[in-house]
């Protein structure tokens, strides 16, 4: 993750070729979750992400779970997580 012009951006640098037209822009909350996940050496799952969100922000578990599922789907589509 890098911040470009105040915006958090993810690019899969493990891919055989980097497509700079296919970068993922993150919201402030998604960037916070990415940093939190990176801090645990990639050992996280969706329930952990939901737990982090509900502990840190004023959001109910159902909303957090829905948002995390959508976010993780994007991360998978970009090849950022398995």
């Amino acid at each position: 993750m890098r911040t470009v012009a105040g915006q958090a951006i993810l690019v899969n640098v493990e891919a055989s070729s980097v497509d700079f037209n296919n970068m993922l822009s993150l919201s402030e909350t998604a960037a916070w979750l990415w940093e939190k996940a990176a801090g645990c050496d990639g050992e996280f799952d969706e329930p952990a992400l939901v737990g982090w969100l509900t502990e840190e922000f004023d959001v109910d578990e159902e909303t957090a779970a829905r948002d995390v599922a959508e976010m993780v789907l994007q991360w998978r589509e970009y090849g950022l997580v398995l």
Side-chain angles (χ1 to χ4, degrees):
M1 182 175 76
R2 296 290 185 255
T3 302
V4 178
Q7 180 66 52
I9 305 290
L10 289 177
V11 177
N12 182 353
V13 296
E14 297 296 321
S16 59
S17 65
V18 176
D19 180 358
F20 289 104
N21 293 317
N22 198 18
M23 294 184 277
L24 180 60
S25 176
L26 300 179
S27 69
E28 187 175 323
T29 304
W32 178 84
L33 274 176
W34 183 264
E35 288 291 324
K36 187 95 165 146
C40 57
D41 296 325
E43 296 296 323
F44 66 90
D45 55 13
E46 287 188 34
L49 296 171
V50 170
W52 295 335
L53 273 179
T54 57
E55 289 171 9
E56 184 71 19
F57 300 98
D58 184 24
V59 61
D60 64 89
E61 191 170 335
E62 183 179 331
T63 301
R66 184 179 58 245
D67 292 348
V68 163
E70 290 175 18
M71 182 185 61
V72 169
L73 180 62
Q74 278 189 323
W75 289 359
R76 284 189 177 121
E77 288 174 357
Y78 281 82
L80 301 166
V81 296
L82 300 174

